[in-house]
Each structure stands twice: as structure tokens, then as C-alpha cells.
Amino acid sequence: MRIISGKYKGRRITAPKNLPVRPTTDMSKEALFNVLNNHFNFSELTILDLFSGTGNISYEFGSRGCEAIIAVDGDMGCVNFIKKTAKEFDLNITAIKNDVFQFLEKHKATYDIIFADPPYGMEQNQFEKLIELIFESELLDEAGMLVVEHSKHTKLNHMMHFSFQKNYGGSVFSFYEFGEEVPE
């Protein structure tokens, strides 16, 4: 994987082969950040990266100047890799090992962007619970955006605060914002 833009544009990051991950492809990541570029000034953002895996998305936010990034994953190998890589690049990423749902239930902060990339095999009701929990726990700033990456087989456009989605091959990014309601 490589960093698409910002301070570390073009830098390659090689994750250990034994991590239980499916990194967002460079093409999908570039498309995602093109969308986010139209909504945000990155240097002022607080970011929560859920199911962060290799930290691919966190590094991209960090390279673009985001100062406060929290990356949460349940795998210690992933968390250690993120810590090591963040230190190498001098990025302000705090990596936390925790079950994402437990973290969301206890955590009390707000973020400008929350990015979630759960395992594609996660049950539909768990995807729905994730979105509901983020909004019910008031973790998203009222001008913020939640982005959930999922397979094309998971349908999330019926959820409250759904705004729009973008499809890239077998991957879909669903975007949620306050002020948006469930489509009719």
C-alpha cells in the first residue's frame, strides 16, 4: 500500500503478511479522499478510524495534516504495526487495542470524521448497530461525516442520516451526515 497524498505522498508501507486484514485498495482510497477533500480542510480535523487494520486510512489522514487520529482495532498485531509505523512517520496516531463496539459504548469524544472498515463478512445487523451506536453516542461532530466501507452485498442506505454512497468494484463507501434522513 502507498500514501496517496500529503507530506508522505508516494511512500510505500509494507504490512506483515500475518495480519488479519483486507486493506482498502489505493484506487478506492484515492476516490474516498477525493470526496472528503470537497468537504473538509484536513489540518483541522479529528479522526476516529475503526477496524483500522494496517492503519492505511489513518496514515493517509496523517499525511494530509490531521493532528489528532485515534485508530481502534481488536488485533494486537495490527495495533503494534500502527504504533511502529506512526512513530516512523512522526504521525500523531493513537492506536488502541479494543473491541470496536465496546470502545464506542464507553468512549466520550466527538470527531469530525469517523471511518469504519469492518470485516466484509460481519452480519448486516452488526453494521446497522455500528452506525446507530456512533450517532446515539454522539461521537460525530454535527458538521462531521461517518464513512462505512462495506461490500456491495451489504445494504446500508436505509439507515438514519444516510447521505450518499460511492461504489468502487466490490467495495462501497456509505456516507452519513447529520441533517440527512432515511430516503423515502
Side-chain angles (χ1 to χ4, degrees):
M1 74 187 130
R2 68 183 172 90
I3 295 177
I4 305 295
S5 187
K7 182 177 180 180
Y8 297 107
K9 179 180 180 176
R11 294 282 297 267
R12 296 210 169 271
I13 299 169
T14 305
K17 300 256 187 256
N18 62 342
L19 296 181
V21 296
R22 173 205 32 79
T24 302
T25 65
D26 287 351
M27 181 191 82
S28 296
K29 183 170 59 171
E30 186 166 11
L32 166 67
F33 277 88
N34 285 340
V35 171
L36 295 175
N37 271 333
N38 292 323
H39 293 292
F40 298 100
N41 174 355
F42 289 107
S43 66
E44 301 169 1
L45 299 182
T46 55
I47 308 297
L48 179 59
D49 182 5
L50 302 171
F51 303 96
S52 51
T54 61
N56 187 10
I57 297 296
S58 290
Y59 309 138
E60 194 68 43
F61 278 117
S63 180
R64 292 166 187 252
C66 295
E67 287 297 316
I69 304 162
I70 305 277
V72 181
D73 198 275
D75 183 83
M76 197 65 209
C78 290
V79 170
N80 287 337
F81 180 72
I82 294 168
K83 287 178 179 179
K84 175 181 162 279
T85 306
K87 187 175 182 180
E88 285 175 21
F89 285 93
D90 192 30
L91 297 171
N92 188 18
I93 300 171
T94 302
I96 298 171
K97 184 199 178 299
N98 202 335
D99 173 84
V100 167
F101 291 98
Q102 289 176 5
F103 176 85
L104 292 174
E105 288 171 358
K106 295 176 183 168
H107 194 66
K108 300 295 176 220
T110 58
Y111 299 90
D112 298 300
I113 298 176
I114 300 175
F115 179 82
D117 184 9
Y120 279 14
M122 192 167 84
E123 295 290 325
Q124 172 82 26
N125 66 335
Q126 291 297 96
F127 275 95
E128 293 171 2
K129 179 182 175 185
L130 176 72
I131 296 164
E132 290 167 356
L133 194 53
I134 288 167
F135 281 98
E136 287 169 5
S137 300
E138 300 178 351
L139 296 174
L140 189 66
D141 184 81
E142 52 185 57
M145 185 176 284
L146 166 63
V147 183
V148 180
E149 183 176 350
H150 56 92
S151 83
K152 62 184 178 182
H153 304 292
T154 301
K155 304 298 181 209
L156 298 174
N157 58 352
H158 64 283
M159 297 297 295
M160 187 78 116
H161 304 295
F162 175 79
S163 183
F164 61 98
Q165 69 182 28
K166 298 284 186 176
N167 302 314
Y168 303 101
S171 295
V172 178
F173 293 114
S174 289
F175 296 82
Y176 302 85
E177 301 173 81
F178 283 107
E180 301 297 332
E181 298 302 326
V182 178
E184 297 296 321

